Amino acid sequence: MHHFSVHSSCLNTLFYPIIFLILFNAASTTNQISNYIDHPFGGIAIETSNSRKLLSYKGDVLAINPSLSIENFRLKNAYIALQAWKEVILSDPHNITQNWVGSNVCNYTGVFCSPSLDQPSELTVSGIDINHGDIAGKLPHELGLLFDIALIHINSNRFCGTIPESFLNLKLLFELDLSNNRFVGKFPDVVVQMPNLKFLDLRFNEFEGALPKQLFERDLDALFINNNRFSFELPDNFGNSPVSVMVLANNNFVGCVPVSIGKMVRLNELLLLNNKFHSCLPNEIGMLKNVTLFDISYNEMMGTLPDSIGGMMSLEQLNLGHNMFSGMISSNICTLPNLENFVYEHIPPPSPPPTTPPQNNCCICLPPPSPSPLPSTEPPSSPLPLPAPSALPSPPSISPSPSPSSPQPPDLPSLSPSPSFVEPPLPSPLPCENQRIPSSQDMSSPSP
């Protein structure tokens, strides 16, 4: 009995510490589970320090310094978004984001506030303009918290990566200018789901692939996507776009110019230069009554010019140079009342013409019969040589100077009113309809 009593006493002595350890571990486990429920970001470690805690965006459960006094929940969201952006900026040589500290986000450089549309008594961030900042970094998904923003201008920086899917939240966005950066990937489909977007500028980036058909169904006013790596054919609904300015230059588009182009009645300027379009100009081009600038130079366009060009009554600048057109120039071009510059440079082909149109061509582009020679009583003493293909100038470039606030067309390529071919002297002037270009001997592009 004495021995058992001593043993029981020892057990009692050890029992309480063991129970204490079990309860302590249980409390610790419960606290960890509670922390996970309060911050539902699986796999993300939460540091408990005095510094600002910035968690991944999955709702409003984003921690900020509790000592900050922020006027309303809209500005709180803006504070979280802008601080997240500042975290991923790697270089800011002009110190644009240096004053992005504190709760008064409306005083941040490049950030603009205005009364919210649904609650005019509350201020909200309505615009960001940090053009020409030379800032390096990326776009964090927390920018999707800027629910009331109408304008984002970040052209001429060094932002890279892709456009975050959280931009789907930007329902009021009116202007989006991401030009002259280093964005990559396919066309950002998120932008075609923004219901109020009117101005889209993606030029001078590294986007690639095809353009989505939905892009040409959006109610855009200006579309600039030149100087990227876009390719493939334009979709059939190309002409459904209601834009007034469209620039697709300096990409790798191929195939036909869609006949739906004739439906673009609001179009003022269209630049398709320096691609790989390989077709005739469709007759529907004559329906573009309001176009003032049309440039499809430096492509592989072929066939004769349609007489319907005479219907482009507002046309001021027409550049068809450096293609493979053939045949006579329609006299209708000479009657265009506002035409100031017309370029139709002829590239002499090196071999006989093909007997069938190119594969996948959208219209029959066989060369027309050669017209009878013009009468001449005093032929020139020596033929006038055409320029060699190697001497042709390189395609014009479009300067990367995107507009900061309103849709403006890029710098126009240099246009020269005088064609490279010169007719021999004639005894008397000929009417416009008798002017001609020598028929083409081949539709293939000249060898380098």
Side-chain angles (χ1 to χ4, degrees):
M1 291 295 294
H2 179 71
H3 177 74
F4 180 77
S5 176
V6 172
H7 183 69
S8 299
S9 177
C10 291
L11 289 176
N12 290 336
T13 304
L14 295 173
F15 177 77
Y16 292 105
I18 292 173
I19 292 299
F20 176 78
L21 291 174
I22 292 173
L23 293 175
F24 178 80
N25 289 332
S28 177
T29 302
T30 303
N31 185 54
Q32 292 176 4
I33 295 173
S34 176
N35 284 340
Y36 178 81
I37 294 174
D38 291 339
H39 305 285
F41 302 95
I44 298 178
I46 302 174
E47 297 181 1
T48 55
S49 65
N50 293 327
S51 61
R52 179 180 60 83
K53 304 181 185 71
L54 183 62
L55 307 182
S56 295
Y57 166 59
K58 287 188 178 180
D60 289 334
V61 192
L62 290 170
I64 64 174
N65 191 333
S67 65
L68 293 174
S69 175
I70 301 180
E71 184 176 333
N72 59 59
F73 78 95
R74 304 171 195 270
L75 296 180
K76 174 185 176 182
N77 285 338
Y79 172 82
I80 293 171
L82 295 173
Q83 292 302 317
W85 199 0
K86 187 176 181 180
E87 287 274 329
V88 295
I89 286 178
L90 305 176
S91 173
D92 183 7
H94 302 301
N95 295 321
I96 290 176
T97 62
Q98 185 176 26
N99 71 339
W100 286 22
V101 293
S103 59
N104 194 352
V105 296
C106 296
N107 284 343
Y108 290 4
T109 300
V111 178
F112 303 94
C113 295
S114 62
S116 62
L117 295 180
D118 58 338
Q119 192 70 35
S121 61
E122 294 184 356
L123 280 180
T124 188
V125 171
S126 57
I128 294 176
D129 188 337
I130 52 174
N131 287 346
H132 304 281
D134 197 26
I135 299 173
K138 63 179 183 178
L139 303 183
H141 51 253
E142 284 87 351
L143 291 177
L145 287 170
L146 300 173
F147 301 109
D148 299 311
I149 199 165
L151 178 148
I152 297 179
H153 284 177
I154 58 171
N155 76 57
S156 304
N157 285 285
R158 289 175 286 151
F159 291 112
C160 61
T162 58
I163 312 305
E165 289 295 323
S166 63
F167 270 38
L168 285 171
N169 293 331
L170 309 184
K171 304 296 185 183
L172 301 180
L173 194 63
F174 187 83
E175 294 187 6
L176 179 61
D177 185 353
L178 308 178
S179 60
N180 200 20
N181 280 284
R182 300 174 183 178
F183 293 112
V184 298
K186 66 176 185 178
F187 185 92
D189 291 337
V190 63
V191 304
V192 302
Q193 302 179 57
M194 296 176 176
N196 288 293
L197 192 65
K198 296 291 185 183
F199 175 87
L200 178 60
D201 194 342
L202 303 179
R203 50 185 160 165
F204 292 97
N205 279 288
E206 298 292 330
F207 293 113
E208 58 188 289
L211 298 180
K213 296 185 68 172
Q214 298 89 333
L215 175 64
F216 302 101
E217 302 292 343
R218 304 306 306 173
D219 189 22
L220 295 172
D221 181 63
L223 176 63
F224 300 95
I225 59 173
N226 53 283
N227 293 81
N228 279 279
R229 298 173 179 266
F230 292 120
S231 56
F232 297 97
E233 297 186 8
L234 296 179
D236 294 337
N237 68 333
F238 171 78
N240 291 354
S241 177
V243 296
S244 62
V245 179
M246 182 183 291
V247 185
L248 310 184
N250 300 325
N251 282 286
N252 294 301
F253 293 113
V254 299
C256 303
V257 176
V259 295
S260 62
I261 190 175
K263 298 164 62 176
M264 305 176 76
V265 294
R266 289 170 50 184
L267 189 64
N268 298 132
E269 299 183 1
L270 179 62
L271 286 88
L272 305 174
L273 65 149
N274 198 25
N275 282 284
K276 298 177 182 178
F277 291 114
H278 189 67
S279 72
C280 302
L281 277 179
N283 287 326
E284 288 77 3
I285 194 175
M287 301 171 66
L288 303 179
K289 307 293 185 183
N290 296 314
V291 169
T292 60
L293 169 62
F294 184 86
D295 190 339
I296 197 169
S297 59
Y298 292 92
N299 280 280
E300 300 171 8
M301 302 299 293
M302 57 199 312
T304 57
L305 302 184
D307 291 338
S308 60
I309 287 183
M312 304 175 72
M313 302 304 293
S314 301
L315 199 59
E316 298 175 2
Q317 303 197 46
L318 175 62
N319 193 342
L320 308 176
H322 299 274
N323 281 287
M324 297 183 288
F325 291 115
S326 61
M328 298 178 65
I329 299 177
S330 170
S331 61
N332 293 341
I333 293 180
C334 301
T335 64
L336 293 173
N338 299 301
L339 190 63
E340 298 176 358
N341 290 303
F342 172 42
V343 178
Y344 186 91
E345 292 162 328
H346 179 67
I347 300 180
S351 58
T355 57
T356 58
Q359 187 176 5
N360 297 327
N361 189 33
C362 55
C363 56
I364 298 176
C365 294
L366 295 178
S370 300
S372 57
L374 294 174
S376 175
T377 56
E378 297 179 5
S381 57
S382 62
L384 298 174
L386 293 172
S390 59
L392 295 173
S394 59
S397 60
I398 299 178
S399 175
S401 55
S403 165
S405 60
S406 60
Q408 294 291 335
D411 296 337
L412 300 180
S414 175
L415 299 177
S416 173
S418 57
S420 58
F421 179 79
V422 180
E423 289 284 351
L426 298 172
S428 60
L430 289 176
C432 181
E433 59 268 16
N434 290 332
Q435 298 180 19
R436 67 184 180 92
I437 297 295
S439 61
S440 189
Q441 298 301 314
D442 187 17
M443 294 301 172
S444 60
S445 57
S447 58

